[in-house]
């Protein structure tokens, strides 16, 4: 028998109130919510230790995901925000010397944004801290179970993304 967690108690409390409640659906959704909140807190703690606000990390992360160089409009698209909203973030990151703006080699009217060594190092330190906690949590599963979990969550996400 599997050990019980706090979600088992949550489901037990709700079953008499909602007799049609599917305990597996309620358990899965509630566990995903708790894990998401846990990872958010771990991220905030890691970023506090680096003195990096979450929105700055998100921008560094988007830039790193493009190989360390992108246009402001590409970053805005990646971050799901209006292009003019990225300017303030880039200004703050530039003041901290985490990025630099350079004229685009393809179009002199355009500016590219590049990660500096300091920006890449700060992003890497945050990623290491976040990755450590993710590995710790998913270390409860075998490699095969992690693969299966990833595939199952993909199927659920595809359903969520369907029109």
């Amino acid at each position: 028998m599997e050990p019980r967690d706090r979600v088992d108690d949550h489901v037990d409390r709700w079953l008499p109130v909602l007799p049609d409640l599917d305990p597996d659906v309620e358990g899965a959704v509630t566990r995903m919510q708790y894990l998401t909140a846990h990872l958010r807190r771990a991220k905030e703690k890691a970023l506090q230790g680096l003195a990096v606000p979450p929105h700055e990390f998100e921008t560094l992360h988007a830039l790193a995901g493009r190989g360390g160089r992108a246009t402001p409009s590409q970053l805005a698209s990646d971050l799901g925000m209006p292009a003019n909203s990225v300017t303030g973030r880039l200004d703050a990151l530039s003041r901290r010397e985490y990025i630099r703006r350079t004229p685009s080699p393809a179009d002199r009217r355009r500016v590219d944004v590049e990660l500096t060594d300091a920006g890449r190092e700060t992003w890497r330190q945050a990623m290491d801290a976040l990755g450590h906690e993710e590995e710790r949590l998913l270390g409860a599963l075998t490699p095969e179970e992690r693969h299966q979990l990833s595939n199952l969550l993909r199927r659920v996400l595809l359903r969520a993304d369907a029109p």
Side-chain angles (χ1 to χ4, degrees):
M1 181 170 175
E2 291 286 325
R4 290 179 57 84
D5 66 8
R6 60 185 160 152
V7 175
D8 293 314
D9 296 334
H10 164 89
V11 171
D12 288 348
R13 272 193 313 278
W14 281 102
L15 277 173
V17 177
L18 299 169
D20 293 336
L21 181 70
D22 182 328
D24 291 326
V25 170
E26 183 67 13
V29 170
T30 304
R31 285 183 181 95
M32 285 189 286
Q33 290 170 336
Y34 283 151
L35 287 169
T36 299
H38 174 86
L39 289 170
R40 186 179 319 108
R41 287 189 304 272
K43 177 181 176 181
E44 290 168 0
K45 183 178 178 184
L47 295 177
Q48 278 180 339
L50 295 170
V52 176
H55 66 278
E56 287 185 12
F57 170 75
E58 291 168 5
T59 307
L60 290 174
H61 189 64
L63 188 54
R66 287 193 170 266
R69 185 179 184 101
T71 66
S73 60
Q74 288 171 323
L75 293 174
S77 176
D78 292 347
L79 295 166
M81 42 189 318
N84 60 352
S85 299
V86 172
T87 302
R89 289 185 179 198
L90 296 178
D91 289 344
L93 290 169
S94 181
R95 282 191 298 275
R96 295 177 70 153
E97 299 183 356
Y98 288 165
I99 63 146
R100 72 177 140 264
R101 293 175 170 116
T102 59
S104 168
D107 181 348
R108 294 184 343 143
R109 296 168 296 173
R110 195 178 79 196
V111 172
D112 286 343
V113 179
E114 290 181 88
L115 272 178
T116 63
D117 289 343
R120 187 176 308 282
E121 178 60 26
T122 298
W123 169 76
R124 194 76 192 118
Q125 288 175 2
M127 289 298 293
D128 287 347
L130 297 172
H132 174 74
E133 183 59 10
E134 291 167 357
E135 289 288 332
R136 186 185 78 79
L137 293 177
L138 292 173
L141 305 175
T142 66
E144 295 79 20
E145 289 169 330
R146 288 192 297 270
H147 183 73
Q148 182 180 17
L149 175 63
S150 181
N151 285 337
L152 292 170
L153 290 172
R154 178 184 299 110
R155 285 174 37 199
V156 173
L157 183 58
L158 286 168
R159 174 77 51 101
D161 288 345

